[in-house]
């Protein structure tokens, strides 16, 4: 029997709003534990939660980016369960009316487009963070109440690779909509896998397991690959897969049982009585759409068709929002699109890697980069000089024109000026001339070297070469 994998992903994303989903305590990371909490986060008697408008706006940005239908009536529900990471004894979530539903995200797998259908996108609040030790657990309530969105796909993914591509693309959506820093290693983006197998051709869903605690996209892929083969072995030996929650153990490279959970957990959902439904204005929903940043797919398209970059280059630029924003600003100032791209992917990235910096931590601006590129293209400086200017520009944050001025670096391209200099050199090197007349072309290199020395590297190499040969030929005759 041959089986196919059926995978649905649930992704949680922490929103980087200033305050929490239902209270004014700050959204913070890496602060002293249990200092960023108030009575609302704990649900003390008598408190009233109020909905964070910014969190709704962020959720709507992602809804728009994922093309979901939007429910303009915001309703919340209580999901009741008892656990130490949930001081209230319930989580406020959107069970009955998710803010977004029926969306999609297109991914490219092996050069083919595949539409990943999104079932729902809803808002909820985060739980406290627990750190487990051998015989005790520490709890940090700073995380309790941080706004979350959860995005659930239909069971349409078919293997680990597709899941990894989907997650990377979704992560980019979070970054491009500027709602989260979306780091799986730090938990601001989290992914649960639901996976079952079924005989190829069957339309029915098999029994699934859920896998939690994935801290990187590559681990999601590995967990899926392991779990699919585990389930396949069970099915091939005519046993049954048990519906349960497992976790991925990175050390063992295996999924291991966390808890057996049937589909019978009853959270006794009911409407959150302290938050009345909120009707959103269509105007506000639309204005959020209109102010949405351009998404990666659209940028990639633009780079290929308007700026004539190769699809590989376009993808590389788009893979970082920072780089892409920088490119967008630079192409407004210089039309040498491919050269801008080359500089960004070449010297600029190399500089960032070497100094462990991000683009916005450097002194580089789109204006400096475009000026530098224009100076090269107008042959004011050679590309060799440009490298020097670049280093100084990065270190000192100076306009390249000023650097060139200060270092007296201008390239000599003027024909008369060059002719004069070359003739001087030829007059001084009569032996080389004789060698040249005897067919020893090697002397050209030597003579160019002399010219460069004389001009302190400022002679335009291309014009120098051409002119030198021309003048040598003239002297021959
Ligand atoms: P739960 O309430 O347990 O989270 P849902 O029905 O909301 O379950 O589904 C959660 C995710 O699991 C969705 O992405 C869904 O597509 C996926 N899923 C549901 N049933 C299966 C199955 N039999 N095999 C694989 N994935 C499934
Ligand atoms: Mg689930």
């Amino acid at each position: 029997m041959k089986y196919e994998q059926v995978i649905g992903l649930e992704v949680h994303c922490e929103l980087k709003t200033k305050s929490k989903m239902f209270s004014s305590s700050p959204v913070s990371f890496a602060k002293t534990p249990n200092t960023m909490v108030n009575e609302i986060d704990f649900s003390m008697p008598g408190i009233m939660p109020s909905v964070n408008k910014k969190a709704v706006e962020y959720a709507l940005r992602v809804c728009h980016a994922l093309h979901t239908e939007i429910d303009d009536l915001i309703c919340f529900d209580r999901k009741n369960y008892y656990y130490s990471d949930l001081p209230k004894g319930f989580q406020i979530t959107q069970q009955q009316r998710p803010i977004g539903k029926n969306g999609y995200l297109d991914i490219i797998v092996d050069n083919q487009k595949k539409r990943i259908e999104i079932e729902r996108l809803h808002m909820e609040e985060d739980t406290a963070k627990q750190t487990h030790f051998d015989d005790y657990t520490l709890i940090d309530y700073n995380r309790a109440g941080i706004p979350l969105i959860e995005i659930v796909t239909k069971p349409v993914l078919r293997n680990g690779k597709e899941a990894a591509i989907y997650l990377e693309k979704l992560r980019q959506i979070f970054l491009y909509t500027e709602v989260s820093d979306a780091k799986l290693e730090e938990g601001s983006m989290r992914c649960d896998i639901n996976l079952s197998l079924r005989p190829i051709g069957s339309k029915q869903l098999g029994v699934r397991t859920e896998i939690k605690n994935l801290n990187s996209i590559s681990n999601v892929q590995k967990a899926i690959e392991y779990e699919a083969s585990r389930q396949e072995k069970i099915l091939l030996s005519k046993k049954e897969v048990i519906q349960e929650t497992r976790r991925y153990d990175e050390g063992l490279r295996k999924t291991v049982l966390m808890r057996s959970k049937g589909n019978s957990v009853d959270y006794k959902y009911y409407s959150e009585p302290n938050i009345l439904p909120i009707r959103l204005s269509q105007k506000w929903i639309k204005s959020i759409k209109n102010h949405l940043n351009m998404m990666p797919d659209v940028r990639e398209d633009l780079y290929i068709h308007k700026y004539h970059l190769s699809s590989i280059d376009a993808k590389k630029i788009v893979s970082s929002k920072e780089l892409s924003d920088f490119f967008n600003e630079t192409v407004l100032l210089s039309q040498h699109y491919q050269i801008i791209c080359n500089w960004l992917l070449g010297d600029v990235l190399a500089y960032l890697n070497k100094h462990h910096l991000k683009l916005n931590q450097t002194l580089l601006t789109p204006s400096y980069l475009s000026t530098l590129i224009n100076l090269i293209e107008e042959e004011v400086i050679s590309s060799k000089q440009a490298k020097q200017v670049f280093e100084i520009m990065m270190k000192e944050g100076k306009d390249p024109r000023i650097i060139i001025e200060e270092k007296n670096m201008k390239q000599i391209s003027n024909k008369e000026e060059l002719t004069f200099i070359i003739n001087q050199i030829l007059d001084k090197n009569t032996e080389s001339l004789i060698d040249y007349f005897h067919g020893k072309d090697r002397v050209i290199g030597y003579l160019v070297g002399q010219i460069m020395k004389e001009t302190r590297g400022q002679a335009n190499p291309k014009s120098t070469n051409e002119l030198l040969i021309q003048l040598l030929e003239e002297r021959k005759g």
Side-chain angles (χ1 to χ4, degrees):
M1 180 85 76
K2 282 231 171 242
Y3 295 99
E4 78 169 345
Q5 301 174 28
V6 177
I7 303 159
L9 297 182
E10 296 166 86
V11 170
H12 285 89
C13 172
E14 273 181 347
L15 304 179
K16 54 174 188 190
T17 47
K18 287 206 181 74
S19 57
K20 292 189 177 173
M21 188 70 222
F22 301 110
S23 89
S24 62
S25 48
V27 166
S28 61
F29 301 95
K31 290 275 161 56
T32 310
N34 299 310
T35 56
M36 303 287 155
V37 200
N38 70 15
E39 45 286 75
I40 294 176
D41 308 323
F42 279 124
S43 197
M44 299 286 182
I47 54 84
M48 289 294 274
S50 51
V51 177
N52 182 338
K53 186 173 175 185
K54 207 68 188 174
V56 180
E57 181 186 329
Y58 283 11
L60 284 171
R61 283 190 200 165
V62 181
C63 284
H64 285 311
L66 297 175
H67 320 279
T68 71
E69 294 164 21
I70 288 167
D71 190 339
D72 63 3
L73 192 68
I74 300 293
C75 298
F76 287 97
D77 303 289
R78 279 192 188 179
K79 178 181 182 177
N80 299 283
Y81 66 100
Y82 178 78
Y83 200 56
S84 45
D85 67 359
L86 193 69
K88 301 208 281 245
F90 59 86
Q91 181 191 32
I92 306 179
T93 179
Q94 292 190 298
Q95 172 64 14
Q96 297 174 52
R97 298 182 66 146
I99 185 169
K101 59 175 198 243
N102 299 332
Y104 63 84
L105 184 61
D106 289 334
I107 61 171
I108 309 278
V109 188
D110 299 329
N111 292 321
Q112 286 218 294
K113 189 160 109 176
K114 173 160 179 166
R115 180 152 291 187
I116 307 303
E117 292 156 280
I118 311 280
E119 192 170 292
R120 54 188 281 141
L121 181 157
H122 66 257
M123 298 179 284
E124 57 188 31
E125 53 179 339
D126 210 347
T127 56
K129 186 176 166 59
Q130 305 200 101
T131 314
H132 301 288
F133 296 89
D134 282 347
D135 54 357
Y136 65 99
T137 294
L138 295 178
I139 308 180
D140 178 7
Y141 288 102
N142 285 356
R143 203 181 73 178
I146 290 183
L148 287 179
I149 49 174
E150 178 173 346
I151 293 159
V152 183
T153 70
K154 297 213 167 123
V156 291
L157 294 151
R158 289 291 170 268
N159 55 55
K161 186 177 169 190
E162 282 184 10
I165 294 171
Y166 164 77
L167 286 175
E168 182 49 38
K169 190 125 190 221
L170 189 60
R171 204 176 79 81
Q172 290 293 344
I173 296 278
F174 297 147
L175 296 174
Y176 271 81
T177 50
E178 296 179 62
V179 301
S180 175
D181 56 10
K183 291 184 181 152
L184 272 93
E185 332 75 74
E186 290 177 15
S188 52
M189 176 172 168
R190 286 167 239 155
C191 173
D192 300 338
I193 305 164
N194 294 271
L195 187 149
S196 63
L197 297 187
R198 67 179 171 198
I200 286 179
S202 161
K203 288 273 166 269
Q204 264 179 334
L205 292 175
V207 177
R208 71 175 141 147
T209 58
E210 186 170 355
I211 309 161
K212 291 186 176 288
N213 285 13
L214 287 314
N215 60 2
S216 71
I217 292 180
S218 72
N219 277 349
V220 169
Q221 185 166 348
K222 286 182 202 146
I224 288 173
E225 281 157 10
Y226 175 83
E227 181 63 13
S229 73
R230 190 189 72 89
Q231 290 187 13
E232 188 178 31
K233 278 191 204 120
I234 295 174
L235 293 174
L236 287 175
S237 64
K238 302 274 178 255
K239 292 196 195 113
E240 280 175 13
V241 174
I242 299 165
Q243 180 163 357
E244 61 195 11
T245 304
R246 304 177 68 85
R247 67 179 173 82
Y248 184 65
D249 188 307
E250 214 177 342
L252 298 173
R253 295 164 158 258
K254 282 178 171 183
T255 64
V256 294
L257 181 64
M258 233 172 122
R259 55 177 181 260
S260 25
K261 163 191 160 189
N263 45 6
S264 57
V265 179
D266 186 354
Y267 293 112
K268 298 260 189 266
Y269 287 101
Y270 61 88
S271 301
E272 165 58 47
N274 286 334
I275 303 173
L276 293 178
I278 301 167
R279 178 76 64 190
L280 305 180
S281 88
Q282 288 300 328
K283 207 172 138 207
W284 189 58
I285 296 175
K286 212 177 235 154
S287 90
I288 292 167
K289 186 174 189 176
N290 292 339
H291 287 96
L292 210 60
N293 287 332
M294 210 191 283
M295 288 300 117
D297 276 0
V298 184
R299 294 190 194 210
E300 201 178 309
D301 227 45
L302 193 74
Y303 293 173
I304 295 170
H305 295 109
K306 182 164 175 201
Y307 300 127
H308 308 293
L309 302 187
S310 68
S311 126
I312 291 174
D313 282 349
K315 273 201 177 61
K316 279 189 194 155
I317 300 255
V318 164
S319 71
S320 148
K321 174 170 182 290
E322 232 195 339
L323 210 56
S324 170
D325 286 346
F326 200 95
F327 179 80
N328 290 355
E329 283 184 57
T330 314
V331 291
L332 298 178
L333 304 168
S334 165
Q335 259 128 58
H336 305 291
Y337 310 131
Q338 183 64 50
I339 298 170
I340 296 172
C341 167
N342 296 348
W343 271 88
L344 283 176
L345 297 179
D347 293 74
V348 174
L349 277 191
Y351 184 92
L352 298 180
N353 287 338
K354 185 172 161 202
H355 298 277
H356 307 288
L357 289 172
K358 286 185 166 180
L359 203 44
N360 62 9
Q361 295 169 321
T362 71
L363 299 165
L364 186 67
T365 65
S367 152
Y368 289 168
L369 185 62
S370 61
T371 306
L372 180 68
I373 288 168
N374 288 341
L375 288 168
I376 307 166
E377 290 309 299
E378 290 156 14
E379 301 198 351
V380 178
I381 52 173
S382 68
S383 33
K384 208 169 148 201
Q385 288 174 317
K387 304 253 173 200
Q388 267 177 284
V389 176
F390 177 75
E391 283 297 320
I392 301 170
M393 188 168 85
M394 297 304 280
K395 236 182 246 132
E396 300 178 16
K398 256 189 210 154
D399 189 310
R401 279 171 298 213
I402 295 176
I403 299 170
I404 291 167
E405 214 53 60
E406 283 177 355
K407 301 271 164 196
N408 199 11
M409 255 190 197
K410 276 199 188 120
Q411 181 168 250
I412 305 168
S413 303
N414 179 294
K415 199 174 166 191
E416 264 133 60
E417 205 176 329
L418 276 179
T419 308
F420 180 78
I421 297 164
I422 296 173
N423 275 329
Q424 264 187 329
I425 299 287
L426 293 183
D427 292 345
K428 276 192 227 158
N429 290 278
T430 39
E431 271 174 42
S432 301
L433 269 176
I434 296 167
D435 285 348
Y436 181 79
F437 298 153
H438 285 103
K440 292 188 184 161
D441 288 351
R442 280 181 291 129
V443 297
I444 292 175
Y446 169 76
L447 290 168
V448 170
Q450 294 304 103
I451 298 161
M452 287 300 171
K453 206 167 147 196
E454 179 68 27
T455 59
R456 296 200 316 273
Q458 281 173 265
N460 177 330
K462 195 164 154 264
S463 319
T464 302
N465 246 309
E466 285 167 7
L467 213 56
L468 174 64
I469 291 171
Q470 189 191 324
L471 292 172
L472 280 169
E473 286 300 314
E474 276 171 20
R475 290 196 183 211
K476 212 182 199 174

Short mmCIF file of all heavy atoms in Angstrom, two decimals, residues 5-10 79 95 119-120 150-156 192-197 204-210 243 261-263 267 269, ligand 1:
data_model
loop_
_atom_site.label_atom_id
_atom_site.label_comp_id
_atom_site.label_asym_id
_atom_site.label_seq_id
_atom_site.Cartn_x
_atom_site.Cartn_y
_atom_site.Cartn_z
N GLN A 5 0.92 11.87 2.40
CA GLN A 5 0.89 12.67 3.62
C GLN A 5 -0.18 13.76 3.51
O GLN A 5 -0.33 14.37 2.47
CB GLN A 5 2.25 13.34 3.86
CG GLN A 5 3.39 12.35 3.99
CD GLN A 5 4.74 13.07 4.08
OE1 GLN A 5 4.84 14.20 4.54
NE2 GLN A 5 5.78 12.38 3.63
N VAL A 6 -0.86 13.98 4.61
CA VAL A 6 -1.85 15.07 4.68
C VAL A 6 -1.47 15.93 5.87
O VAL A 6 -1.40 15.45 7.01
CB VAL A 6 -3.27 14.50 4.88
CG1 VAL A 6 -4.28 15.62 5.03
CG2 VAL A 6 -3.64 13.58 3.72
N ILE A 7 -1.16 17.18 5.57
CA ILE A 7 -0.61 18.05 6.63
C ILE A 7 -1.37 19.37 6.70
O ILE A 7 -1.64 20.01 5.68
CB ILE A 7 0.88 18.37 6.34
CG1 ILE A 7 1.69 17.07 6.22
CG2 ILE A 7 1.47 19.25 7.44
CD1 ILE A 7 3.00 17.24 5.47
N GLY A 8 -1.72 19.75 7.90
CA GLY A 8 -2.28 21.09 8.13
C GLY A 8 -1.44 21.77 9.20
O GLY A 8 -1.01 21.12 10.15
N LEU A 9 -1.16 23.05 9.01
CA LEU A 9 -0.31 23.76 9.98
C LEU A 9 -1.11 24.81 10.74
O LEU A 9 -1.97 25.50 10.17
CB LEU A 9 0.87 24.44 9.27
CG LEU A 9 1.86 23.54 8.54
CD1 LEU A 9 2.98 24.39 7.93
CD2 LEU A 9 2.47 22.49 9.47
N GLU A 10 -0.80 24.91 12.03
CA GLU A 10 -1.35 25.99 12.84
C GLU A 10 -0.17 26.85 13.26
O GLU A 10 0.76 26.36 13.89
CB GLU A 10 -2.02 25.42 14.10
CG GLU A 10 -3.24 24.55 13.79
CD GLU A 10 -3.67 23.74 15.00
OE1 GLU A 10 -4.43 24.25 15.83
OE2 GLU A 10 -3.22 22.59 15.12
N LYS A 79 -12.03 30.26 26.08
CA LYS A 79 -11.65 28.86 25.96
C LYS A 79 -11.20 28.44 27.36
O LYS A 79 -10.19 28.94 27.86
CB LYS A 79 -10.50 28.74 24.96
CG LYS A 79 -9.94 27.36 24.75
CD LYS A 79 -8.79 27.43 23.74
CE LYS A 79 -8.21 26.07 23.45
NZ LYS A 79 -7.15 26.11 22.43
N GLN A 95 -13.24 31.88 18.72
CA GLN A 95 -13.58 30.54 18.28
C GLN A 95 -14.64 30.58 17.19
O GLN A 95 -14.48 30.00 16.13
CB GLN A 95 -14.07 29.73 19.49
CG GLN A 95 -14.65 28.37 19.15
CD GLN A 95 -13.63 27.44 18.53
OE1 GLN A 95 -12.43 27.70 18.58
NE2 GLN A 95 -14.10 26.34 17.96
N GLU A 119 -7.61 28.33 6.21
CA GLU A 119 -8.97 28.14 6.71
C GLU A 119 -9.41 29.35 7.53
O GLU A 119 -10.49 29.88 7.34
CB GLU A 119 -8.97 26.90 7.59
CG GLU A 119 -10.33 26.40 7.96
CD GLU A 119 -10.18 25.04 8.60
OE1 GLU A 119 -9.79 24.08 7.88
OE2 GLU A 119 -10.39 24.94 9.82
N ARG A 120 -8.54 29.77 8.47
CA ARG A 120 -8.94 30.86 9.35
C ARG A 120 -7.74 31.61 9.90
O ARG A 120 -6.64 31.09 9.96
CB ARG A 120 -9.78 30.33 10.51
CG ARG A 120 -9.09 29.20 11.28
CD ARG A 120 -10.03 28.58 12.29
NE ARG A 120 -10.15 29.40 13.49
CZ ARG A 120 -11.28 29.59 14.16
NH1 ARG A 120 -12.40 29.04 13.76
NH2 ARG A 120 -11.28 30.33 15.25
N GLU A 150 -3.47 33.53 15.11
CA GLU A 150 -3.27 32.13 14.74
C GLU A 150 -3.80 31.93 13.34
O GLU A 150 -4.89 32.38 13.00
CB GLU A 150 -4.00 31.19 15.71
CG GLU A 150 -3.82 29.74 15.29
CD GLU A 150 -4.36 28.71 16.27
OE1 GLU A 150 -4.67 29.07 17.42
OE2 GLU A 150 -4.49 27.54 15.86
N ILE A 151 -2.99 31.28 12.52
CA ILE A 151 -3.35 31.06 11.12
C ILE A 151 -3.38 29.56 10.86
O ILE A 151 -2.38 28.87 11.09
CB ILE A 151 -2.33 31.76 10.20
CG1 ILE A 151 -2.47 33.27 10.41
CG2 ILE A 151 -2.55 31.40 8.74
CD1 ILE A 151 -1.29 34.06 9.99
N VAL A 152 -4.51 29.07 10.43
CA VAL A 152 -4.70 27.63 10.27
C VAL A 152 -4.91 27.30 8.80
O VAL A 152 -5.79 27.89 8.16
CB VAL A 152 -5.92 27.15 11.10
CG1 VAL A 152 -6.08 25.64 11.00
CG2 VAL A 152 -5.80 27.59 12.55
N THR A 153 -4.12 26.38 8.28
CA THR A 153 -4.32 25.99 6.87
C THR A 153 -5.32 24.86 6.79
O THR A 153 -5.56 24.14 7.75
CB THR A 153 -3.03 25.48 6.20
OG1 THR A 153 -2.70 24.19 6.78
CG2 THR A 153 -1.87 26.43 6.37
N LYS A 154 -5.88 24.68 5.62
CA LYS A 154 -6.63 23.44 5.35
C LYS A 154 -5.59 22.33 5.23
O LYS A 154 -4.40 22.61 5.03
CB LYS A 154 -7.42 23.60 4.05
CG LYS A 154 -8.46 24.70 4.17
CD LYS A 154 -9.69 24.40 3.36
CE LYS A 154 -10.80 25.35 3.76
NZ LYS A 154 -11.35 26.13 2.66
N PRO A 155 -6.02 21.06 5.33
CA PRO A 155 -5.02 19.97 5.28
C PRO A 155 -4.54 19.74 3.85
O PRO A 155 -4.78 18.70 3.25
CB PRO A 155 -5.78 18.76 5.83
CG PRO A 155 -7.22 19.08 5.65
CD PRO A 155 -7.38 20.56 5.59
N VAL A 156 -3.83 20.74 3.29
CA VAL A 156 -3.49 20.70 1.87
C VAL A 156 -1.99 20.51 1.59
O VAL A 156 -1.60 20.36 0.44
CB VAL A 156 -3.95 21.99 1.15
CG1 VAL A 156 -5.47 22.04 1.07
CG2 VAL A 156 -3.43 23.22 1.87
N ASP A 192 2.53 24.44 14.92
CA ASP A 192 2.12 23.08 15.27
C ASP A 192 1.79 22.36 13.97
O ASP A 192 1.17 22.93 13.07
CB ASP A 192 0.87 23.09 16.15
CG ASP A 192 1.10 23.83 17.46
OD1 ASP A 192 2.26 23.96 17.86
OD2 ASP A 192 0.10 24.26 18.06
N ILE A 193 2.21 21.11 13.93
CA ILE A 193 1.97 20.31 12.72
C ILE A 193 0.84 19.32 13.00
O ILE A 193 0.82 18.69 14.06
CB ILE A 193 3.24 19.48 12.37
CG1 ILE A 193 4.46 20.40 12.23
CG2 ILE A 193 3.01 18.65 11.13
CD1 ILE A 193 5.78 19.63 12.28
N ASN A 194 -0.09 19.19 12.08
CA ASN A 194 -1.07 18.10 12.13
C ASN A 194 -0.80 17.21 10.94
O ASN A 194 -0.77 17.70 9.81
CB ASN A 194 -2.49 18.65 12.04
CG ASN A 194 -2.84 19.48 13.25
OD1 ASN A 194 -3.33 18.96 14.25
ND2 ASN A 194 -2.56 20.77 13.19
N LEU A 195 -0.59 15.94 11.20
CA LEU A 195 -0.18 15.07 10.09
C LEU A 195 -0.89 13.73 10.16
O LEU A 195 -0.97 13.12 11.22
CB LEU A 195 1.34 14.88 10.14
CG LEU A 195 1.99 14.14 8.98
CD1 LEU A 195 3.39 14.64 8.76
CD2 LEU A 195 2.02 12.64 9.18
N SER A 196 -1.40 13.31 9.03
CA SER A 196 -1.96 11.95 8.93
C SER A 196 -1.56 11.38 7.58
O SER A 196 -1.08 12.09 6.71
CB SER A 196 -3.48 12.00 9.06
OG SER A 196 -4.03 12.73 7.99
N LEU A 197 -1.73 10.09 7.44
CA LEU A 197 -1.49 9.44 6.15
C LEU A 197 -2.81 8.87 5.65
O LEU A 197 -3.70 8.58 6.43
CB LEU A 197 -0.47 8.30 6.30
CG LEU A 197 0.94 8.64 6.75
CD1 LEU A 197 1.81 7.38 6.66
CD2 LEU A 197 1.56 9.75 5.91
N GLN A 204 -10.74 10.33 2.12
CA GLN A 204 -10.97 10.44 3.56
C GLN A 204 -9.70 10.82 4.30
O GLN A 204 -8.60 10.48 3.88
CB GLN A 204 -11.41 9.08 4.09
CG GLN A 204 -12.91 8.98 4.19
CD GLN A 204 -13.31 7.61 4.70
OE1 GLN A 204 -12.57 6.63 4.53
NE2 GLN A 204 -14.46 7.54 5.33
N LEU A 205 -9.86 11.52 5.42
CA LEU A 205 -8.69 11.85 6.23
C LEU A 205 -8.39 10.71 7.19
O LEU A 205 -9.30 10.10 7.74
CB LEU A 205 -8.96 13.13 7.02
CG LEU A 205 -9.08 14.42 6.23
CD1 LEU A 205 -9.47 15.58 7.14
CD2 LEU A 205 -7.78 14.74 5.50
N GLY A 206 -7.09 10.45 7.36
CA GLY A 206 -6.69 9.43 8.32
C GLY A 206 -6.61 10.01 9.72
O GLY A 206 -6.88 11.19 9.94
N VAL A 207 -6.23 9.15 10.68
CA VAL A 207 -6.07 9.63 12.06
C VAL A 207 -4.77 10.43 12.13
O VAL A 207 -3.74 10.01 11.64
CB VAL A 207 -5.98 8.44 13.04
CG1 VAL A 207 -5.72 8.96 14.46
CG2 VAL A 207 -7.25 7.61 12.98
N ARG A 208 -4.86 11.61 12.74
CA ARG A 208 -3.68 12.49 12.75
C ARG A 208 -3.02 12.55 14.12
O ARG A 208 -3.63 12.27 15.14
CB ARG A 208 -4.12 13.89 12.37
CG ARG A 208 -4.91 14.52 13.50
CD ARG A 208 -5.26 15.96 13.23
NE ARG A 208 -6.60 16.22 13.71
CZ ARG A 208 -6.99 17.39 14.21
NH1 ARG A 208 -6.15 18.39 14.29
NH2 ARG A 208 -8.21 17.55 14.64
N THR A 209 -1.76 12.94 14.08
CA THR A 209 -1.09 13.33 15.32
C THR A 209 -0.76 14.80 15.19
O THR A 209 -0.69 15.34 14.08
CB THR A 209 0.22 12.53 15.54
OG1 THR A 209 1.07 12.75 14.43
CG2 THR A 209 -0.05 11.06 15.72
N GLU A 210 -0.56 15.43 16.34
CA GLU A 210 -0.20 16.85 16.34
C GLU A 210 1.20 16.93 16.92
O GLU A 210 1.50 16.29 17.93
CB GLU A 210 -1.21 17.63 17.19
CG GLU A 210 -0.99 19.12 17.10
CD GLU A 210 -2.12 19.92 17.76
OE1 GLU A 210 -3.12 19.33 18.19
OE2 GLU A 210 -1.96 21.15 17.84
N GLN A 243 -4.46 9.03 17.89
CA GLN A 243 -4.50 10.49 17.89
C GLN A 243 -3.88 11.00 19.19
O GLN A 243 -4.36 10.70 20.28
CB GLN A 243 -5.94 10.99 17.77
CG GLN A 243 -5.97 12.50 17.76
CD GLN A 243 -7.28 13.07 17.25
OE1 GLN A 243 -8.19 12.35 16.84
NE2 GLN A 243 -7.39 14.39 17.28
N LYS A 261 -4.19 12.73 23.47
CA LYS A 261 -5.34 13.62 23.50
C LYS A 261 -6.25 13.15 22.39
O LYS A 261 -5.89 13.17 21.23
CB LYS A 261 -4.86 15.05 23.26
CG LYS A 261 -5.93 16.04 22.87
CD LYS A 261 -5.25 17.35 22.40
CE LYS A 261 -6.21 18.18 21.57
NZ LYS A 261 -5.58 19.31 20.94
N GLY A 262 -7.42 12.73 22.77
CA GLY A 262 -8.38 12.35 21.75
C GLY A 262 -8.89 13.63 21.14
O GLY A 262 -8.36 14.69 21.38
N ASN A 263 -9.95 13.56 20.35
CA ASN A 263 -10.52 14.81 19.85
C ASN A 263 -11.63 15.28 20.79
O ASN A 263 -12.51 16.02 20.42
CB ASN A 263 -11.04 14.66 18.42
CG ASN A 263 -11.83 13.39 18.27
OD1 ASN A 263 -12.08 12.69 19.26
ND2 ASN A 263 -12.25 13.09 17.05
N TYR A 267 -13.47 22.44 25.71
CA TYR A 267 -13.05 23.71 26.31
C TYR A 267 -14.23 24.55 26.78
O TYR A 267 -14.03 25.65 27.28
CB TYR A 267 -12.22 24.50 25.30
CG TYR A 267 -10.89 23.86 24.97
CD1 TYR A 267 -10.64 23.34 23.70
CD2 TYR A 267 -9.88 23.78 25.93
CE1 TYR A 267 -9.41 22.76 23.40
CE2 TYR A 267 -8.65 23.21 25.63
CZ TYR A 267 -8.42 22.70 24.35
OH TYR A 267 -7.21 22.14 24.05
N TYR A 269 -16.36 26.41 25.30
CA TYR A 269 -16.31 27.78 24.76
C TYR A 269 -17.62 28.51 25.02
O TYR A 269 -18.69 27.92 24.91
CB TYR A 269 -16.14 27.73 23.24
CG TYR A 269 -14.76 27.33 22.77
CD1 TYR A 269 -14.51 26.02 22.33
CD2 TYR A 269 -13.73 28.25 22.71
CE1 TYR A 269 -13.26 25.66 21.85
CE2 TYR A 269 -12.48 27.89 22.24
CZ TYR A 269 -12.25 26.60 21.81
OH TYR A 269 -11.01 26.23 21.33
P1 LIG B 1 -7.88 21.40 16.47
O1 LIG B 1 -9.17 21.98 16.93
O2 LIG B 1 -7.49 20.15 17.16
O3 LIG B 1 -6.75 22.38 16.45
P2 LIG B 1 -8.63 21.67 13.70
O4 LIG B 1 -9.76 20.91 13.12
O5 LIG B 1 -8.80 23.10 13.95
O6 LIG B 1 -8.14 20.91 14.98
O7 LIG B 1 -7.41 21.47 12.73
C1 LIG B 1 -6.19 21.93 13.02
C2 LIG B 1 -5.27 21.69 11.83
O8 LIG B 1 -5.18 20.30 11.57
C3 LIG B 1 -5.76 22.29 10.54
O9 LIG B 1 -4.63 22.82 9.87
C4 LIG B 1 -6.32 21.14 9.78
O10 LIG B 1 -6.18 21.34 8.40
C5 LIG B 1 -5.46 20.01 10.22
N1 LIG B 1 -6.10 18.70 10.19
C6 LIG B 1 -7.32 18.38 10.63
N2 LIG B 1 -7.57 17.06 10.45
C7 LIG B 1 -6.44 16.54 9.89
C8 LIG B 1 -6.05 15.22 9.48
N3 LIG B 1 -6.84 14.19 9.62
N4 LIG B 1 -4.84 15.09 8.96
C9 LIG B 1 -3.99 16.14 8.83
N5 LIG B 1 -4.31 17.37 9.20
C10 LIG B 1 -5.52 17.59 9.73
#
